[in-house]
Amino acid sequence: MITRRFHDLTLPLLGFGAMRLPLLADGSGRVDEARTRDMVAYAMQHGLNYFDTAYPYHGGESERIMGRILADYPRESFLLATKFPSHVAAAGRTPASIFEEQLEKCGVSYFDFYLLHNVCETTTPAFCDPKLGIVDYLLEQRRLGRIRFLGFSSHGQMDNLRAFLDLYGKEMAFCQIQLNYLDWKYAKRINPRNTDAEYLYGELRKRNIPAVIMEPLLGGRLS
């Protein structure tokens, strides 16, 4: 496994995404937890110990499933990332209730990496709303040690990314963007709402914000 240094951590170059876990063959749409457990075991045996999930993945079950599986391993042996859902906060839930629910679902007392989920044109108003107080709450959890590194993921356009970074960029330890050999230059040709990854990555480099890459194979489609 090729690794990279990130502050005091050694990270595997590949992470284990929990957005598209294998499903049971019965057509129920439920996750095949036994097969997922085998996949996690294989990953851990080969040095891949970074696991990325989120509140809405698999209808809210991804965090629970990953929590049950990772409970078989010492907490210090794996790195866990999950994401804050702005749509749930905008619907009336407090940041505290959401965060505590995620800790319980994942069966952990802290998250190694915690992201504002999908900072874009439709979510930025909630993330930046002082009445909701999302970022302020998460910064306090970071201070308390319940979040080791706070960052965000982004599918937004360049103007939106710059506006968010101007406001909160100094507090963000990393950013997760979609980057692969197609999206590097041709994301906008596929969907005019997208921004080519070359420009997104360049903006992050200007601000010395490390990038975590999602969908290096475009959700499997490039393979």
Short mmCIF file of all heavy atoms in Angstrom, two decimals, residues 49-112:
data_model
loop_
_atom_site.label_atom_id
_atom_site.label_comp_id
_atom_site.label_asym_id
_atom_site.label_seq_id
_atom_site.Cartn_x
_atom_site.Cartn_y
_atom_site.Cartn_z
N ASN A 49 -6.87 1.36 5.61
CA ASN A 49 -7.61 1.52 6.88
C ASN A 49 -8.36 2.84 6.98
O ASN A 49 -8.74 3.26 8.06
CB ASN A 49 -6.64 1.39 8.06
CG ASN A 49 -5.65 2.53 8.13
OD1 ASN A 49 -5.39 3.21 7.14
ND2 ASN A 49 -5.07 2.73 9.30
N TYR A 50 -8.58 3.50 5.83
CA TYR A 50 -9.35 4.76 5.79
C TYR A 50 -10.73 4.44 5.25
O TYR A 50 -10.88 3.99 4.10
CB TYR A 50 -8.63 5.77 4.89
CG TYR A 50 -9.28 7.14 4.81
CD1 TYR A 50 -8.73 8.23 5.47
CD2 TYR A 50 -10.43 7.36 4.05
CE1 TYR A 50 -9.31 9.50 5.39
CE2 TYR A 50 -11.02 8.61 3.96
CZ TYR A 50 -10.45 9.67 4.63
OH TYR A 50 -11.02 10.93 4.55
N PHE A 51 -11.77 4.68 6.07
CA PHE A 51 -13.14 4.35 5.69
C PHE A 51 -13.99 5.62 5.65
O PHE A 51 -14.00 6.39 6.60
CB PHE A 51 -13.72 3.33 6.67
CG PHE A 51 -12.96 2.03 6.68
CD1 PHE A 51 -11.92 1.83 7.57
CD2 PHE A 51 -13.28 1.02 5.78
CE1 PHE A 51 -11.19 0.65 7.57
CE2 PHE A 51 -12.56 -0.16 5.77
CZ PHE A 51 -11.52 -0.36 6.66
N ASP A 52 -14.70 5.79 4.53
CA ASP A 52 -15.44 7.02 4.27
C ASP A 52 -16.93 6.69 4.13
O ASP A 52 -17.33 5.97 3.22
CB ASP A 52 -14.92 7.66 2.98
CG ASP A 52 -15.73 8.87 2.56
OD1 ASP A 52 -16.86 8.70 2.04
OD2 ASP A 52 -15.24 10.00 2.74
N THR A 53 -17.74 7.22 5.03
CA THR A 53 -19.17 7.04 4.96
C THR A 53 -19.85 8.40 5.08
O THR A 53 -19.18 9.43 5.03
CB THR A 53 -19.66 6.05 6.05
OG1 THR A 53 -21.07 5.84 5.91
CG2 THR A 53 -19.35 6.56 7.45
N ALA A 54 -21.17 8.42 5.20
CA ALA A 54 -21.90 9.69 5.34
C ALA A 54 -23.30 9.41 5.85
O ALA A 54 -23.82 8.29 5.72
CB ALA A 54 -21.97 10.43 4.00
N TYR A 55 -23.92 10.43 6.40
CA TYR A 55 -25.25 10.30 7.00
C TYR A 55 -26.28 9.68 6.06
O TYR A 55 -27.03 8.78 6.46
CB TYR A 55 -25.71 11.68 7.48
CG TYR A 55 -26.96 11.68 8.33
CD1 TYR A 55 -26.88 11.64 9.72
CD2 TYR A 55 -28.22 11.73 7.74
CE1 TYR A 55 -28.03 11.64 10.51
CE2 TYR A 55 -29.37 11.73 8.52
CZ TYR A 55 -29.26 11.69 9.90
OH TYR A 55 -30.41 11.68 10.67
N PRO A 56 -26.38 10.12 4.79
CA PRO A 56 -27.47 9.60 3.95
C PRO A 56 -27.15 8.32 3.17
O PRO A 56 -28.06 7.77 2.53
CB PRO A 56 -27.72 10.75 2.97
CG PRO A 56 -26.39 11.38 2.81
CD PRO A 56 -25.69 11.24 4.14
N TYR A 57 -25.90 7.84 3.18
CA TYR A 57 -25.55 6.70 2.34
C TYR A 57 -26.41 5.48 2.70
O TYR A 57 -26.63 5.17 3.87
CB TYR A 57 -24.09 6.34 2.50
CG TYR A 57 -23.11 7.34 1.91
CD1 TYR A 57 -21.74 7.15 2.07
CD2 TYR A 57 -23.53 8.47 1.21
CE1 TYR A 57 -20.83 8.05 1.54
CE2 TYR A 57 -22.62 9.36 0.68
CZ TYR A 57 -21.27 9.16 0.85
OH TYR A 57 -20.37 10.06 0.33
N HIS A 58 -26.87 4.79 1.68
CA HIS A 58 -27.71 3.59 1.84
C HIS A 58 -28.89 3.86 2.77
O HIS A 58 -29.20 3.07 3.67
CB HIS A 58 -26.89 2.40 2.36
CG HIS A 58 -26.00 1.80 1.32
ND1 HIS A 58 -26.48 1.04 0.26
CD2 HIS A 58 -24.64 1.87 1.15
CE1 HIS A 58 -25.45 0.66 -0.50
NE2 HIS A 58 -24.34 1.15 0.00
N GLY A 59 -29.54 4.99 2.54
CA GLY A 59 -30.73 5.31 3.32
C GLY A 59 -30.47 5.46 4.80
O GLY A 59 -31.36 5.22 5.62
N GLY A 60 -29.26 5.87 5.15
CA GLY A 60 -28.90 6.05 6.56
C GLY A 60 -28.30 4.82 7.20
O GLY A 60 -27.89 4.88 8.37
N GLU A 61 -28.18 3.72 6.46
CA GLU A 61 -27.68 2.47 7.05
C GLU A 61 -26.17 2.32 6.95
O GLU A 61 -25.58 1.52 7.68
CB GLU A 61 -28.36 1.27 6.38
CG GLU A 61 -29.81 1.08 6.77
CD GLU A 61 -29.96 0.88 8.27
OE1 GLU A 61 -29.32 -0.02 8.82
OE2 GLU A 61 -30.70 1.67 8.89
N SER A 62 -25.52 3.06 6.07
CA SER A 62 -24.08 2.88 5.87
C SER A 62 -23.30 3.12 7.16
O SER A 62 -22.41 2.35 7.52
CB SER A 62 -23.57 3.82 4.78
OG SER A 62 -22.18 3.71 4.62
N GLU A 63 -23.62 4.20 7.88
CA GLU A 63 -22.90 4.48 9.13
C GLU A 63 -23.10 3.34 10.13
O GLU A 63 -22.15 2.94 10.81
CB GLU A 63 -23.38 5.80 9.72
CG GLU A 63 -22.91 7.03 8.95
CD GLU A 63 -23.43 8.33 9.55
OE1 GLU A 63 -24.58 8.34 10.07
OE2 GLU A 63 -22.70 9.33 9.51
N ARG A 64 -24.32 2.84 10.24
CA ARG A 64 -24.59 1.75 11.18
C ARG A 64 -23.81 0.49 10.81
O ARG A 64 -23.21 -0.16 11.67
CB ARG A 64 -26.09 1.43 11.21
CG ARG A 64 -26.96 2.50 11.84
CD ARG A 64 -28.38 1.99 12.03
NE ARG A 64 -29.21 3.01 12.65
CZ ARG A 64 -29.94 3.90 11.99
NH1 ARG A 64 -29.95 3.86 10.65
NH2 ARG A 64 -30.67 4.79 12.62
N ILE A 65 -23.83 0.14 9.54
CA ILE A 65 -23.15 -1.07 9.09
C ILE A 65 -21.65 -0.95 9.29
O ILE A 65 -21.00 -1.87 9.82
CB ILE A 65 -23.49 -1.35 7.62
CG1 ILE A 65 -24.97 -1.74 7.50
CG2 ILE A 65 -22.60 -2.42 7.03
CD1 ILE A 65 -25.49 -1.74 6.08
N MET A 66 -21.08 0.17 8.89
CA MET A 66 -19.64 0.35 9.07
C MET A 66 -19.29 0.37 10.55
O MET A 66 -18.24 -0.16 10.95
CB MET A 66 -19.18 1.64 8.39
CG MET A 66 -19.36 1.65 6.87
SD MET A 66 -18.63 0.22 6.04
CE MET A 66 -16.89 0.44 6.43
N GLY A 67 -20.16 0.95 11.37
CA GLY A 67 -19.91 0.96 12.81
C GLY A 67 -19.88 -0.45 13.39
O GLY A 67 -19.01 -0.78 14.21
N ARG A 68 -20.82 -1.29 12.98
CA ARG A 68 -20.85 -2.67 13.49
C ARG A 68 -19.62 -3.45 13.04
O ARG A 68 -19.04 -4.21 13.83
CB ARG A 68 -22.13 -3.38 13.01
CG ARG A 68 -23.39 -2.91 13.70
CD ARG A 68 -24.55 -3.85 13.46
NE ARG A 68 -25.01 -3.87 12.08
CZ ARG A 68 -26.00 -3.12 11.61
NH1 ARG A 68 -26.61 -2.25 12.41
NH2 ARG A 68 -26.38 -3.22 10.34
N ILE A 69 -19.22 -3.26 11.79
CA ILE A 69 -18.07 -4.01 11.28
C ILE A 69 -16.76 -3.53 11.89
O ILE A 69 -15.92 -4.33 12.32
CB ILE A 69 -18.02 -3.90 9.74
CG1 ILE A 69 -19.23 -4.62 9.13
CG2 ILE A 69 -16.72 -4.46 9.19
CD1 ILE A 69 -19.37 -4.43 7.63
N LEU A 70 -16.58 -2.22 11.97
CA LEU A 70 -15.32 -1.68 12.50
C LEU A 70 -15.18 -1.90 14.00
O LEU A 70 -14.08 -1.79 14.54
CB LEU A 70 -15.21 -0.19 12.16
CG LEU A 70 -15.02 0.12 10.66
CD1 LEU A 70 -15.10 1.62 10.41
CD2 LEU A 70 -13.69 -0.45 10.16
N ALA A 71 -16.28 -2.22 14.67
CA ALA A 71 -16.21 -2.53 16.10
C ALA A 71 -15.35 -3.75 16.37
O ALA A 71 -14.91 -3.98 17.51
CB ALA A 71 -17.62 -2.73 16.66
N ASP A 72 -15.08 -4.56 15.34
CA ASP A 72 -14.23 -5.74 15.50
C ASP A 72 -12.75 -5.38 15.58
O ASP A 72 -11.92 -6.24 15.87
CB ASP A 72 -14.43 -6.69 14.32
CG ASP A 72 -15.81 -7.33 14.29
OD1 ASP A 72 -16.48 -7.31 15.34
OD2 ASP A 72 -16.20 -7.84 13.22
N TYR A 73 -12.41 -4.12 15.34
CA TYR A 73 -11.01 -3.70 15.28
C TYR A 73 -10.73 -2.65 16.34
O TYR A 73 -11.61 -1.87 16.69
CB TYR A 73 -10.71 -3.12 13.89
CG TYR A 73 -10.98 -4.09 12.76
CD1 TYR A 73 -12.23 -4.13 12.14
CD2 TYR A 73 -10.00 -4.98 12.33
CE1 TYR A 73 -12.50 -5.03 11.12
CE2 TYR A 73 -10.25 -5.88 11.29
CZ TYR A 73 -11.51 -5.90 10.70
OH TYR A 73 -11.77 -6.79 9.69
N PRO A 74 -9.49 -2.61 16.85
CA PRO A 74 -9.14 -1.54 17.81
C PRO A 74 -9.37 -0.17 17.17
O PRO A 74 -9.07 0.02 15.99
CB PRO A 74 -7.66 -1.79 18.09
CG PRO A 74 -7.43 -3.23 17.73
CD PRO A 74 -8.36 -3.53 16.60
N ARG A 75 -9.89 0.76 17.96
CA ARG A 75 -10.23 2.08 17.42
C ARG A 75 -9.03 2.75 16.78
O ARG A 75 -9.17 3.45 15.75
CB ARG A 75 -10.82 2.97 18.52
CG ARG A 75 -11.21 4.38 18.03
CD ARG A 75 -12.29 4.32 16.98
NE ARG A 75 -12.62 5.64 16.41
CZ ARG A 75 -12.02 6.14 15.34
NH1 ARG A 75 -11.05 5.46 14.73
NH2 ARG A 75 -12.37 7.32 14.86
N GLU A 76 -7.85 2.57 17.34
CA GLU A 76 -6.69 3.26 16.80
C GLU A 76 -6.17 2.63 15.50
O GLU A 76 -5.27 3.18 14.85
CB GLU A 76 -5.56 3.29 17.83
CG GLU A 76 -4.96 1.94 18.19
CD GLU A 76 -5.74 1.19 19.26
OE1 GLU A 76 -6.85 1.64 19.63
OE2 GLU A 76 -5.23 0.15 19.73
N SER A 77 -6.73 1.49 15.10
CA SER A 77 -6.24 0.79 13.91
C SER A 77 -6.89 1.28 12.62
O SER A 77 -6.45 0.91 11.54
CB SER A 77 -6.46 -0.72 14.05
OG SER A 77 -7.85 -1.04 14.01
N PHE A 78 -7.96 2.06 12.71
CA PHE A 78 -8.62 2.53 11.50
C PHE A 78 -8.91 4.03 11.60
O PHE A 78 -8.97 4.61 12.68
CB PHE A 78 -9.92 1.75 11.23
CG PHE A 78 -10.98 1.90 12.28
CD1 PHE A 78 -11.89 2.94 12.27
CD2 PHE A 78 -11.08 0.96 13.31
CE1 PHE A 78 -12.87 3.07 13.24
CE2 PHE A 78 -12.06 1.08 14.29
CZ PHE A 78 -12.94 2.14 14.25
N LEU A 79 -9.10 4.63 10.43
CA LEU A 79 -9.42 6.05 10.31
C LEU A 79 -10.82 6.16 9.72
O LEU A 79 -11.09 5.60 8.66
CB LEU A 79 -8.40 6.75 9.41
CG LEU A 79 -6.96 6.68 9.91
CD1 LEU A 79 -5.99 7.03 8.78
CD2 LEU A 79 -6.75 7.59 11.10
N LEU A 80 -11.69 6.89 10.41
CA LEU A 80 -13.09 6.95 10.01
C LEU A 80 -13.47 8.38 9.62
O LEU A 80 -13.22 9.33 10.36
CB LEU A 80 -13.98 6.48 11.15
CG LEU A 80 -15.49 6.44 10.86
CD1 LEU A 80 -15.81 5.52 9.69
CD2 LEU A 80 -16.25 6.00 12.11
N ALA A 81 -14.08 8.49 8.44
CA ALA A 81 -14.59 9.77 7.95
C ALA A 81 -16.09 9.68 7.73
O ALA A 81 -16.58 8.69 7.18
CB ALA A 81 -13.90 10.14 6.63
N THR A 82 -16.81 10.70 8.16
CA THR A 82 -18.22 10.80 7.81
C THR A 82 -18.55 12.27 7.58
O THR A 82 -17.67 13.13 7.71
CB THR A 82 -19.14 10.15 8.86
OG1 THR A 82 -20.47 10.01 8.30
CG2 THR A 82 -19.23 10.98 10.13
N LYS A 83 -19.83 12.55 7.26
CA LYS A 83 -20.15 13.87 6.74
C LYS A 83 -21.44 14.41 7.36
O LYS A 83 -22.36 13.65 7.65
CB LYS A 83 -20.29 13.81 5.22
CG LYS A 83 -19.09 13.16 4.53
CD LYS A 83 -19.30 13.01 3.05
CE LYS A 83 -18.17 12.21 2.43
NZ LYS A 83 -18.28 10.77 2.73
N PHE A 84 -21.47 15.75 7.52
CA PHE A 84 -22.63 16.41 8.11
C PHE A 84 -23.66 16.74 7.04
O PHE A 84 -23.35 17.39 6.04
CB PHE A 84 -22.20 17.69 8.83
CG PHE A 84 -23.32 18.36 9.58
CD1 PHE A 84 -23.52 18.09 10.92
CD2 PHE A 84 -24.19 19.24 8.94
CE1 PHE A 84 -24.56 18.69 11.62
CE2 PHE A 84 -25.23 19.84 9.63
CZ PHE A 84 -25.42 19.55 10.97
N PRO A 85 -24.94 16.34 7.23
CA PRO A 85 -25.98 16.57 6.22
C PRO A 85 -26.69 17.91 6.41
O PRO A 85 -27.50 18.08 7.33
CB PRO A 85 -26.95 15.41 6.48
CG PRO A 85 -26.84 15.17 7.96
CD PRO A 85 -25.43 15.51 8.36
N SER A 86 -26.43 18.86 5.54
CA SER A 86 -27.04 20.18 5.69
C SER A 86 -28.56 20.12 5.56
O SER A 86 -29.27 20.88 6.22
CB SER A 86 -26.48 21.14 4.65
OG SER A 86 -26.82 20.71 3.33
N HIS A 87 -29.06 19.20 4.74
CA HIS A 87 -30.51 19.15 4.51
C HIS A 87 -31.26 18.73 5.78
O HIS A 87 -32.39 19.17 6.01
CB HIS A 87 -30.84 18.19 3.37
CG HIS A 87 -30.53 16.75 3.64
ND1 HIS A 87 -29.24 16.25 3.63
CD2 HIS A 87 -31.34 15.70 3.94
CE1 HIS A 87 -29.27 14.97 3.90
NE2 HIS A 87 -30.52 14.60 4.09
N VAL A 88 -30.63 17.91 6.61
CA VAL A 88 -31.28 17.49 7.86
C VAL A 88 -31.31 18.65 8.84
O VAL A 88 -32.31 18.88 9.53
CB VAL A 88 -30.54 16.28 8.46
CG1 VAL A 88 -31.19 15.85 9.78
CG2 VAL A 88 -30.55 15.11 7.48
N ALA A 89 -30.23 19.43 8.89
CA ALA A 89 -30.19 20.61 9.77
C ALA A 89 -31.19 21.66 9.31
O ALA A 89 -31.89 22.27 10.12
CB ALA A 89 -28.79 21.19 9.82
N ALA A 90 -31.27 21.85 7.99
CA ALA A 90 -32.19 22.85 7.46
C ALA A 90 -33.65 22.47 7.73
O ALA A 90 -34.52 23.34 7.79
CB ALA A 90 -31.97 23.01 5.96
N ALA A 91 -33.90 21.17 7.91
CA ALA A 91 -35.26 20.70 8.18
C ALA A 91 -35.64 20.83 9.65
O ALA A 91 -36.78 20.51 10.01
CB ALA A 91 -35.42 19.26 7.73
N GLY A 92 -34.70 21.27 10.50
CA GLY A 92 -35.06 21.54 11.89
C GLY A 92 -34.25 20.82 12.95
O GLY A 92 -34.36 21.15 14.13
N ARG A 93 -33.41 19.86 12.55
CA ARG A 93 -32.58 19.16 13.53
C ARG A 93 -31.41 20.05 13.94
O ARG A 93 -30.84 20.77 13.12
CB ARG A 93 -32.02 17.86 12.93
CG ARG A 93 -33.04 16.77 12.72
CD ARG A 93 -33.33 15.96 13.97
NE ARG A 93 -32.14 15.36 14.51
CZ ARG A 93 -31.61 14.21 14.07
NH1 ARG A 93 -32.18 13.55 13.07
NH2 ARG A 93 -30.52 13.71 14.62
N THR A 94 -31.02 19.99 15.20
CA THR A 94 -29.87 20.76 15.66
C THR A 94 -28.58 20.07 15.26
O THR A 94 -28.54 18.83 15.13
CB THR A 94 -29.89 20.92 17.19
OG1 THR A 94 -29.72 19.63 17.79
CG2 THR A 94 -31.19 21.55 17.66
N PRO A 95 -27.50 20.82 15.05
CA PRO A 95 -26.22 20.19 14.76
C PRO A 95 -25.82 19.17 15.82
O PRO A 95 -25.29 18.10 15.50
CB PRO A 95 -25.24 21.37 14.71
CG PRO A 95 -26.08 22.54 14.32
CD PRO A 95 -27.41 22.30 14.99
N ALA A 96 -26.09 19.47 17.09
CA ALA A 96 -25.71 18.56 18.17
C ALA A 96 -26.44 17.23 18.05
O ALA A 96 -25.83 16.15 18.22
CB ALA A 96 -25.99 19.20 19.52
N SER A 97 -27.74 17.26 17.77
CA SER A 97 -28.50 16.01 17.70
C SER A 97 -28.02 15.15 16.54
O SER A 97 -27.97 13.91 16.64
CB SER A 97 -29.99 16.31 17.57
OG SER A 97 -30.31 16.87 16.31
N ILE A 98 -27.66 15.78 15.42
CA ILE A 98 -27.17 15.04 14.26
C ILE A 98 -25.82 14.42 14.56
O ILE A 98 -25.58 13.23 14.30
CB ILE A 98 -27.08 15.97 13.04
CG1 ILE A 98 -28.48 16.47 12.64
CG2 ILE A 98 -26.41 15.27 11.86
CD1 ILE A 98 -28.46 17.59 11.63
N PHE A 99 -24.92 15.21 15.11
CA PHE A 99 -23.56 14.73 15.38
C PHE A 99 -23.58 13.59 16.40
O PHE A 99 -22.89 12.57 16.22
CB PHE A 99 -22.71 15.90 15.88
CG PHE A 99 -21.26 15.57 16.05
CD1 PHE A 99 -20.42 15.48 14.95
CD2 PHE A 99 -20.72 15.35 17.31
CE1 PHE A 99 -19.07 15.18 15.10
CE2 PHE A 99 -19.37 15.06 17.47
CZ PHE A 99 -18.55 14.97 16.36
N GLU A 100 -24.36 13.74 17.46
CA GLU A 100 -24.44 12.69 18.48
C GLU A 100 -25.03 11.41 17.88
O GLU A 100 -24.60 10.29 18.24
CB GLU A 100 -25.27 13.15 19.66
CG GLU A 100 -24.71 14.34 20.43
CD GLU A 100 -23.38 14.03 21.12
OE1 GLU A 100 -23.08 12.83 21.34
OE2 GLU A 100 -22.65 14.99 21.44
N GLU A 101 -26.01 11.56 17.01
CA GLU A 101 -26.58 10.38 16.35
C GLU A 101 -25.53 9.66 15.52
O GLU A 101 -25.45 8.42 15.52
CB GLU A 101 -27.76 10.80 15.47
CG GLU A 101 -28.39 9.63 14.72
CD GLU A 101 -29.41 10.06 13.68
OE1 GLU A 101 -29.68 11.28 13.57
OE2 GLU A 101 -29.91 9.17 12.96
N GLN A 102 -24.69 10.41 14.82
CA GLN A 102 -23.66 9.80 13.99
C GLN A 102 -22.62 9.06 14.84
O GLN A 102 -22.19 7.95 14.48
CB GLN A 102 -22.99 10.86 13.13
CG GLN A 102 -23.89 11.41 12.03
CD GLN A 102 -23.19 12.46 11.20
OE1 GLN A 102 -22.96 13.57 11.68
NE2 GLN A 102 -22.85 12.12 9.96
N LEU A 103 -22.23 9.65 15.95
CA LEU A 103 -21.29 8.96 16.84
C LEU A 103 -21.88 7.64 17.32
O LEU A 103 -21.20 6.61 17.35
CB LEU A 103 -20.95 9.84 18.04
CG LEU A 103 -20.04 11.05 17.80
CD1 LEU A 103 -19.97 11.90 19.06
CD2 LEU A 103 -18.63 10.61 17.38
N GLU A 104 -23.16 7.67 17.68
CA GLU A 104 -23.82 6.46 18.17
C GLU A 104 -23.93 5.41 17.06
O GLU A 104 -23.65 4.22 17.29
CB GLU A 104 -25.20 6.80 18.70
CG GLU A 104 -25.95 5.60 19.27
CD GLU A 104 -27.30 5.97 19.83
OE1 GLU A 104 -27.68 7.16 19.79
OE2 GLU A 104 -28.02 5.05 20.28
N LYS A 105 -24.33 5.83 15.88
CA LYS A 105 -24.47 4.89 14.76
C LYS A 105 -23.14 4.24 14.41
O LYS A 105 -23.09 3.05 14.10
CB LYS A 105 -25.04 5.62 13.54
CG LYS A 105 -26.52 5.95 13.65
CD LYS A 105 -26.95 6.95 12.59
CE LYS A 105 -26.85 6.41 11.19
NZ LYS A 105 -27.35 7.40 10.19
N CYS A 106 -22.07 5.02 14.45
CA CYS A 106 -20.75 4.50 14.09
C CYS A 106 -20.06 3.80 15.25
O CYS A 106 -19.02 3.15 15.06
CB CYS A 106 -19.87 5.62 13.56
SG CYS A 106 -20.42 6.29 11.96
N GLY A 107 -20.60 3.94 16.46
CA GLY A 107 -20.03 3.27 17.61
C GLY A 107 -18.67 3.78 18.02
O GLY A 107 -17.83 3.01 18.49
N VAL A 108 -18.44 5.08 17.85
CA VAL A 108 -17.15 5.67 18.18
C VAL A 108 -17.35 6.89 19.07
O VAL A 108 -18.46 7.41 19.20
CB VAL A 108 -16.37 6.07 16.90
CG1 VAL A 108 -16.03 4.85 16.07
CG2 VAL A 108 -17.17 7.07 16.07
N SER A 109 -16.27 7.34 19.67
CA SER A 109 -16.33 8.54 20.51
C SER A 109 -15.77 9.76 19.80
O SER A 109 -15.88 10.87 20.32
CB SER A 109 -15.57 8.31 21.82
OG SER A 109 -14.21 8.01 21.56
N TYR A 110 -15.16 9.55 18.63
CA TYR A 110 -14.64 10.66 17.84
C TYR A 110 -14.52 10.23 16.39
O TYR A 110 -14.51 9.03 16.07
CB TYR A 110 -13.27 11.12 18.36
CG TYR A 110 -12.17 10.10 18.14
CD1 TYR A 110 -11.37 10.10 17.00
CD2 TYR A 110 -11.92 9.10 19.08
CE1 TYR A 110 -10.37 9.16 16.80
CE2 TYR A 110 -10.92 8.15 18.90
CZ TYR A 110 -10.16 8.19 17.76
OH TYR A 110 -9.18 7.24 17.55
N PHE A 111 -14.47 11.22 15.50
CA PHE A 111 -14.24 10.98 14.07
C PHE A 111 -12.85 11.50 13.71
O PHE A 111 -12.46 12.59 14.12
CB PHE A 111 -15.29 11.68 13.22
CG PHE A 111 -16.67 11.11 13.38
CD1 PHE A 111 -17.67 11.87 13.96
CD2 PHE A 111 -16.96 9.83 12.97
CE1 PHE A 111 -18.95 11.36 14.11
CE2 PHE A 111 -18.24 9.30 13.12
CZ PHE A 111 -19.23 10.07 13.70
N ASP A 112 -12.12 10.72 12.94
CA ASP A 112 -10.80 11.17 12.49
C ASP A 112 -10.94 12.29 11.48
O ASP A 112 -10.23 13.30 11.55
CB ASP A 112 -10.04 10.00 11.87
CG ASP A 112 -9.84 8.86 12.85
OD1 ASP A 112 -8.96 8.98 13.71
OD2 ASP A 112 -10.58 7.86 12.77
#
